[in-house]
Each structure stands twice: as C-alpha cells, then as structure tokens.
Amino acid sequence: TLVKDLLAKISGAEFGAHVTATNDGLSGRLEARRNLGGKAHGTYSVQNTLGEYDMTKATHTGIVTTPLGHGQASIKLTQDATTSGVYGSYGQDLAGGQVDLQLSREGAAFGQNGTRKGSALGSALGYNVSFARSLDDKLHIDSRILVGADEAGVYGKLTAGRDVSDGVRASYEATARAELKGKHKKELSHSVALSGKLGHARLVQHDGKAPRLQLGYE
C-alpha cells in the first residue's frame, strides 16, 4: 500500500493518492480537497475497484462539510457504474448529549447523457435520528444511553459499568428495538458480565428466552 496525502497543490486544492496492490490487481484512489470559503470544506475522490481498470465503472464521491447553527452538517454524493446516492447528516450538542440526524436516498446511476440507466432515485427516504448522552453525572458510574428512530422503527441502548475490585470490572447492557411496519417485531436483550485479566463471563438473555452463559479466556 502506498499513501501520498499531498501529491500537489493547484489553485488552492490539495491532491492526494492511495494505491493498494495485491495478487488480484491494483486499486487506486485520487482525492482532491479544498476550502470552499469560511469553515466549509469539500472533497472529491475517484476510486477503481480492485482489479477493475475501466474508469467508467469507478466510484465517484463528493463531500461538503460546513458548520450550521450550533452543529456540523455534511452532504455526500456518490456514483458508480450502477448506483448513485445522496446522503446528508447533521450533528449538534444538546442537553448534555449529542443529537445526530442522517438522511439518505439511493437509486440507479446517471448515464453519459445525464439520464438514468434505471429507475430514478428511490422514492423512500432513509433516515436515522438519535440522541446519545453519558449518564455518569446521574448514576455516578460509567454509563451511557442511546435512543433513536429510523425508517424501520425505534431503538434504544443502555450501558453501564464499574470496577468492582482490582483488575475486575462489572458491566451491564440492555438493547431494545421495535419495528413500526410489517409484523411490528420487538426485540429486547440484556447482558451482565464480569471481566478481568484472565478472561470474562457473560450472561445474556434475548427476547425472554433462557439466559445463556458465555465464557472467554485471554
């Protein structure tokens, strides 16, 4: 693997390259980076699949990031020989935690004349909005909560842990998910664990089934 972060600098844009060689051939990525004014930054890259040297089948990716309000926003456009996608994200500190929003839409790639090779971008908008926060100040142990929703349903996760003696740590994790479409499937799992220098023991229960003991050794 050969990495050159700065090959050249032209008209304010920095160019870099990444080349990987294996028994199956070569894969290379050429990237351009530039400040777009203020605190906005843009990158563009083109990369071939390992062993595929037809550049009409290469993957093109453009990303723009910029501060927005009290957070950070980005938009990414991708296209290869068969698919294209638009992805947006926004993150911001809120109420002692971090809120994140991700949006996506994918579909067929554009042809050389600007028309699509297949159907237009999918009509269904993918999304994922989540809030994560440390609970150390509330529970006075190492702990964190995550709650969110996406196009399939809602989900949550709680983790906690503390040292119980020298070199031994106890931890707890609970995850839950409920689908809001189709069969409205619900999933719930819990686990408690003790870990130390010699290994770990973990007791796991999933969807009300009998708990399972998992052992691991270092």
Side-chain angles (χ1 to χ4, degrees), residues 41-66:
H41 295 271
T43 64
Y44 168 78
S45 66
V46 57
Q47 179 173 355
N48 72 298
T49 303
L50 185 67
E52 175 58 73
Y53 308 116
D54 182 354
M55 294 308 295
T56 63
K57 299 180 180 179
T59 298
H60 301 259
T61 303
I63 303 174
V64 175
T65 61
T66 184

Side-chain angles (χ1 to χ4, degrees), residues 186-190 204-211:
K186 297 180 177 63
E187 297 179 353
L188 177 64
S189 65
H190 306 265
V204 181
Q205 184 182 40
H206 183 71
D207 289 340
K209 298 178 181 178

